[in-house]
Amino acid sequence: MAKLRVSYEYSEAEDKSIRLGLFLIVCGILSLFILCFCWLSPTLQSLQSKPANCTVISVRRLDESFECVFTCGTDCKGTSQYPCLQIFVNNSESSSVALLHIDEQQLLLNPKCSYVPKCERDNQKMKDDVLKMQNYWIEDGSNQSSFPCFFNPQRRPDDVLWQRTHDASVLLHCVLWPMVSLLVGTLIVLLTVCARSLAVRAEAIQKRKFS
């Protein structure tokens, strides 16, 4: 009895489904690496900061000014200067005086200053912005007995953060969306292959009945 031969070639629609699934798998893997490199490492470092209680000790503005680079278009670029605001606090975790920073990004921009204003063409506008922040901490911050802050004794023992730039939700997004893309792509490929395999088996059984 001759052996029945059944075509295993995929149709155009099935071929497109497999390509789509493979595309989603590749995108999921690449985005997982990219997001982990860009967001996961900074987030883990941010979450290493321990919660603490800080109390304002002194607020002062230095005579020294710092430069920043502003852009106002494709061919518009220049430098401005802003005054340096320093807010010293007492850290409950180490019982020592530390320099307060708004968040990790401003700490990296200028570790000598507590607040780095948005760089503008107008120096006076940045000066007013720093003065506004200074008045806030003198009038409101100094009146608070304590406020939450974050302290990392291993990386920055002399600095504390007022806010975290990243939180645990960033970890969720770094892993969730690449995994969703990876799982959806894998599911599309498996369903397409299984559907084709079932169709081939059904075709073989049908041919056996009529042979």
Side-chain angles (χ1 to χ4, degrees):
M1 182 176 178
K3 187 176 180 180
L4 294 174
R5 292 185 179 181
V6 181
S7 175
Y8 284 84
E9 293 182 0
Y10 290 99
S11 65
E12 184 179 354
E14 291 169 339
D15 187 56
K16 288 182 179 180
S17 297
I18 292 179
R19 289 183 181 181
L20 175 61
L22 293 176
F23 174 76
L24 291 175
I25 291 173
V26 172
C27 288
I29 294 173
L30 290 178
S31 59
L32 185 63
F33 280 107
I34 293 172
L35 289 176
C36 287
F37 178 77
C38 295
W39 292 99
L40 191 60
S41 180
T43 302
L44 290 175
Q45 293 179 0
S46 175
L47 294 178
Q48 289 176 358
S49 301
K50 299 179 179 179
N53 290 321
C54 291
T55 305
V56 176
I57 297 176
S58 64
V59 181
R60 67 181 184 181
R61 195 153 43 106
L62 301 181
D63 295 332
E64 181 183 5
S65 296
F66 291 87
E67 286 190 348
C68 65
V69 179
F70 67 86
T71 55
C72 50
T74 54
D75 298 326
C76 178
K77 188 176 182 180
T79 59
S80 297
Q81 291 188 336
Y82 64 90
C84 182
L85 177 66
Q86 290 185 331
I87 305 168
F88 290 96
V89 297
N90 184 19
N91 177 15
S92 63
E93 285 293 317
S94 63
S95 300
S96 61
V97 178
L99 182 63
L100 179 69
H101 300 273
I102 301 300
D103 53 32
E104 293 101 329
Q105 291 182 352
Q106 296 212 351
L107 172 60
L108 295 175
L109 282 175
N110 192 339
K112 292 185 178 180
C113 303
S114 297
Y115 176 66
V116 179
K118 181 182 178 182
C119 196
E120 303 278 356
R121 182 196 294 266
D122 188 359
N123 292 340
Q124 185 61 41
K125 186 176 181 180
M126 289 193 297
K127 185 177 179 180
D128 294 340
D129 195 11
V130 173
L131 183 60
K132 183 178 179 181
M133 181 64 67
Q134 180 182 0
N135 291 334
Y136 168 80
W137 284 102
I138 291 177
E139 297 174 2
D140 299 332
S142 298
N143 293 331
Q144 298 178 11
S145 57
S146 63
F147 60 91
C149 58
F150 301 94
F151 173 64
N152 192 328
Q154 283 76 32
R155 297 184 66 232
R156 292 282 185 174
D158 298 325
D159 300 288
V160 295
L161 302 175
W162 187 27
Q163 300 171 350
R164 281 175 173 165
T165 306
H166 308 288
D167 55 20
S169 64
V170 177
L171 294 176
L172 177 63
H173 290 290
C174 284
V175 177
L176 176 62
W177 300 116
M179 290 302 297
V180 168
S181 177
L182 188 61
L183 291 174
V184 170
T186 304
L187 187 62
I188 290 175
V189 173
L190 289 177
L191 289 177
T192 304
V193 172
C194 289
R196 184 56 185 169
S197 178
L198 291 175
V200 168
R201 290 185 181 182
E203 184 180 352
I205 293 172
Q206 193 74 12
K207 285 185 177 182
R208 282 196 190 122
K209 287 183 179 180
F210 294 98
S211 61

